[in-house]
């Protein structure tokens, strides 16, 4: 589904990704962990198509297509979804209008008829239930005045609406209380299928108790320095990153 | 008759025009109207059409637009020119009392019998004769001491316009819509003078809609005087929707008495050159005023909002918000003059002007001008100029929304705040969809009048 080869990316001449290799097959869950500033969000942004970062080497193929060649909106329409570490507030754009535009743009891309207002509202109601999001949130402007937890739930709600093939959850668990964490994890698990894959970026084991990864990778200084099964997450939880840093620097 | 006049040197020809046609200008007009002309004419000739050397018109040199070969109507027949009453307005969701003016002259009032008891709507020159005490008490009384040249020009030349009177305690539920239709075979200069009096405890909402239906160049000088008396509520929505060859100088002079609550909203959706002079005089205690504007411009369009809020008495509040979106080489200006007189303790005055520039070539000049002579006041002002937010745009794209749709959503989000201030629900809906259309580039000013749905000639798509 996703094949990343020797990916390098920089911003203001500062190289942040320094040769990432990663392959994700349909149905797999990969966790990416690593200390702050190691490049996890940068990797997500580059995959989603943020033009702030310049890719200066490497390739990414997504379901056989050259991902780096696609505009950000087309990456989304091809089924890539990024749950932002810091979701953006957009005052004046209502959630309903935002989601209707997004869903219908996806449908148009697949050459399907746009949803009518009532079809759309029905879909929205279903998905709201699925991710247990408060109705009040969807009546407001996008993320405006949402608490940290509400913003993260809203990301999961959008994911449920768009039904991506590959979801990248960038620290969706940070700052969540236990209830919100459960909601986020349930949302992800309910959408799980043999065709859908997930990348979970996190610092903590606790989310991985709910969303069980097939592989755990450690990203450090712009490279994946260690990959193993889910037991690696437990080890990191216990010992921190220092031993990895040391190992890597030696 | 329609007089065709070639204007090259401005004052010279305008002076001649006035003097030669004085008897026609005065013919049939109310005495008070004529009585004020001579002095206004003097002021106008002394000051002339403002160039950008005049401080208050620094960002809008009106002189070139008032030159050219222009038709002027000195009588109703000439203004209507055979087009009389054949306009009809029918937008079902907008339930209004409709008044039609043609080239600034009153033409027709629909369903007059549906107006609430005692409410008077009609031609200012005719109603002044029927209600001389009202007319004489108010006409020309609220132009302030600024001696604005364009207001003086209007007072000197205007012969007709609308008159609206709401007696004490009467609430006019349906908005009154004044549709001024500009039409003719030649380029044209149009004057219009409206007088609106809302008596104690009365309520009124007015929409002004100036609409060009032929492709000629139109130069408009209109002026509306409003008197909002004790505890009255008054709203005016000025919907400016004309083709690119239109120059509009639009004066809105509101005078407030105790406990009155007024709202003005200038919605400049499409026009060539627009200058709005908005003056609110809070001449009594406990008045509240809301002064809003939204300007959307592209190509070479230019919009200049000049507002002047005069806090003359204590315990008044004013809320001012103007927002603009400028594309291509469009330019705009905003001046927010707030005067808090020595007497006006416990004044609250809030002002903000926010602008979104979509290109490198778009321009905005924003100038707050606070003159505060009382000490116990709360005043704030702020001006911002920005571009579309990159992070918001990427967020939208990451959800599958393309650049163009994203721009529309974000531009609309920006404009939204002013639209939300509209206190007439169906109009708010209407403006929302028009603004969205405008941003989509589907806005066809030629197809229909924004408010009344009046069909225009497609040839006027400029
Ligand atoms: N917009 C930016 N401009 C400059 N440097 C940036 C920017 N975004 C990220 N960086 C830098 O890139 C590095 C990786 O950041 P990031 O990808 O956010 O790390 P992580 O998500 O792993 O904590 C950091 O050193 C950070 O300072
Ligand atoms: Mg991060």
């Amino acid at each position: 589904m996703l094949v990343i080869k020797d990916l390098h990316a920089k911003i203001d001449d500062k190289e942040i990704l320094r040769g990432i290799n990663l392959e994700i097959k349909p149905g797999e869950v990969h966790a990416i962990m690593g200390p702050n500033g190691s490049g996890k969000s940068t990797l997500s942004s580059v995959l989603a198509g943020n033009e702030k970062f310049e890719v200066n080497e490497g390739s990414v193929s997504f379901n056989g297509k050259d991902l780096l060649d696609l505009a950000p909106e087309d990456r989304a329409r091809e089924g890539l979804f990024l749950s932002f570490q810091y979701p953006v507030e957009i005052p004046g754009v209502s959630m309903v209008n935002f989601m209707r535009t997004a869903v219908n743009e996806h449908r148009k891309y697949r050459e399907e008829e746009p949803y009518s207002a009532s079809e759309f509202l029905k879909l929205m109601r279903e998905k709201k239930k699925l991710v247990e999001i408060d109705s009040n949130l969807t009546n407001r402007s996008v993320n405006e005045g949402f608490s940290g937890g509400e913003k993260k739930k809203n990301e999961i709600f959008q994911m449920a609406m768009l039904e991506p093939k590959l979801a990248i959850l960038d620290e969706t668990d940070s700052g969540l209380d236990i209830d919100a964490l459960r909601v986020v994890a349930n949302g992800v698990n309910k959408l799980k299928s043999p065709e859908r894959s997930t990348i979970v970026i996190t610092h903590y084991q606790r989310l991985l108790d709910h969303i069980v990864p097939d592989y755990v990778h450690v990203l450090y200084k712009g490279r994946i320095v260690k990959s193993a099964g889910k037991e690696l997450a437990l080890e990191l939880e216990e010992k921190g990153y220092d031993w990895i840093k040391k190992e890597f620097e030696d | 008759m329609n007089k065709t006049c070639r204007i090259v040197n401005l004052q010279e020809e305008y002076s001649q025009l006035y003097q030669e046609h004085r008897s026609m200008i005065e013919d049939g007009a109310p005495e008070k109207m004529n009585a004020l002309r001579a002095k206004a004419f003097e002021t106008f000739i002394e000051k002339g059409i403002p160039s950008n050397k005049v401080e208050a018109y620094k960002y809008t040199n009106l002189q070139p637009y008032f030159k050219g070969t222009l038709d002027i109507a000195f009588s109703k027949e000439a203004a209507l020119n055979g087009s009389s009453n054949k306009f009809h307005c029918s937008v079902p969701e907008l339930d209004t009392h409709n008044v039609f003016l043609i080239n600034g002259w009153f033409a027709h009032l629909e369903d007059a019998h549906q107006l609430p008891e005692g409410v008077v709507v009609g031609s200012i020159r005719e109603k002044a004769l029927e209600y001389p005490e009202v007319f004489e008490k108010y006409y020309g009384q609220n132009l302030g001491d600024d001696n604005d040249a364009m207001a003086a020009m209007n007072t000197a030349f205007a012969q007709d316009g609308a008159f609206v009177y709401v007696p004490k305690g009467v609430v006019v539920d349906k908005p009154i819509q004044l549709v001024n239709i500009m039409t003719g075979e030649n380029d044209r200069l149009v004057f219009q003078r409206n007088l609106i009096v809302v008596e104690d405890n009365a309520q009124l909402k007015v929409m002004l809609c100036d609409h060009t239906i032929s492709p000629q160049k139109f130069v408009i000088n209109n002026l509306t005087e409003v008197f909002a008396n004790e505890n009255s509520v008054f709203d005016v929505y000025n919907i400016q929707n004309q083709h690119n060859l239109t120059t509009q100088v639009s004066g809105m002079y509101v005078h407030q008495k105790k406990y009155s609550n007024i709202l003005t909203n200038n919605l400049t959706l499409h026009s060539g050159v627009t200058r709005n002079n908005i003056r609110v005089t809070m001449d009594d205690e406990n008045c509240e005023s809301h002064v809003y504007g939204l300007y959307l411009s592209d190509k070479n369009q230019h919009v200049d909002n000049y507002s002047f809020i005069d806090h003359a008495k204590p315990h008044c509040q004013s809320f001012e918000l103007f927002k603009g979106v400028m594309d291509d080489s469009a330019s705009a200006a905003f001046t927010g003059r707030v005067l808090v007189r020595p007497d006006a303790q416990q004044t609250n005055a809030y002002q903000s002007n926010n602008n979104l520039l979509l290109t490198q070539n778009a321009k905005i000049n924003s100038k707050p001008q606070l003159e505060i002579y009382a000490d116990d006041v709360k005043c704030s002002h702020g001006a911002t100029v920005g571009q579309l937010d990159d992070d918001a745009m990427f967020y939208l794209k990451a959800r599958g929304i393309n650049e163009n749709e994203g721009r529309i959503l974000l531009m609309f989000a920006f404009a939204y705040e002013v639209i939300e201030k509209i206190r007439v629900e169906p109009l708010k809906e209407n403006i929302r969809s028009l603004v969205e259309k405008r941003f989509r580039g589907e806005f066809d000013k030629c197809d229909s009048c924004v408010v009344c749905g009046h069909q225009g000639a497609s040839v006027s798509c400029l």
Side-chain angles (χ1 to χ4, degrees), chain B residues 350-422:
Chain B
Y350 304 100
Q351 177 187 95
S352 79
N353 172 232
N354 310 114
N355 299 281
L356 191 57
L357 300 184
L358 300 177
T359 67
Q360 298 282 328
N361 293 329
K363 256 206 286 295
I364 168 77
N365 283 294
S366 181
K367 192 170 78 170
Q369 202 178 324
L370 271 51
E371 298 156 45
I372 301 170
Y373 301 102
D375 44 33
D376 183 14
V377 299
K378 271 193 214 134
C379 286
S380 72
H381 67 87
T384 63
V385 181
Q387 286 81 38
L388 287 176
D389 179 359
D390 283 344
D391 290 333
M393 183 61 101
F394 178 63
Y395 192 72
L396 297 175
K397 285 183 179 175
R399 298 297 177 252
I401 296 169
N402 67 27
E403 171 104 23
N404 193 38
E405 284 294 321
R407 266 168 69 110
I408 292 163
L409 280 173
L410 293 179
M411 288 191 290
F412 188 79
F414 182 84
Y416 167 87
E417 202 183 348
V418 177
I419 302 172
E420 286 310 296
K421 306 281 190 200
I422 297 174

Side-chain angles (χ1 to χ4, degrees), chain B residues 4 9 32 57 82 132 170-171 247 292 298-299 364 372 423:
Chain B
T4 304
N9 299 313
K32 175 86 180 261
Y57 286 82
V170 173
V171 174
T247 298
Y292 304 129
D298 57 11
K299 303 189 194 83
I364 168 77
I372 301 170
R423 301 194 287 204

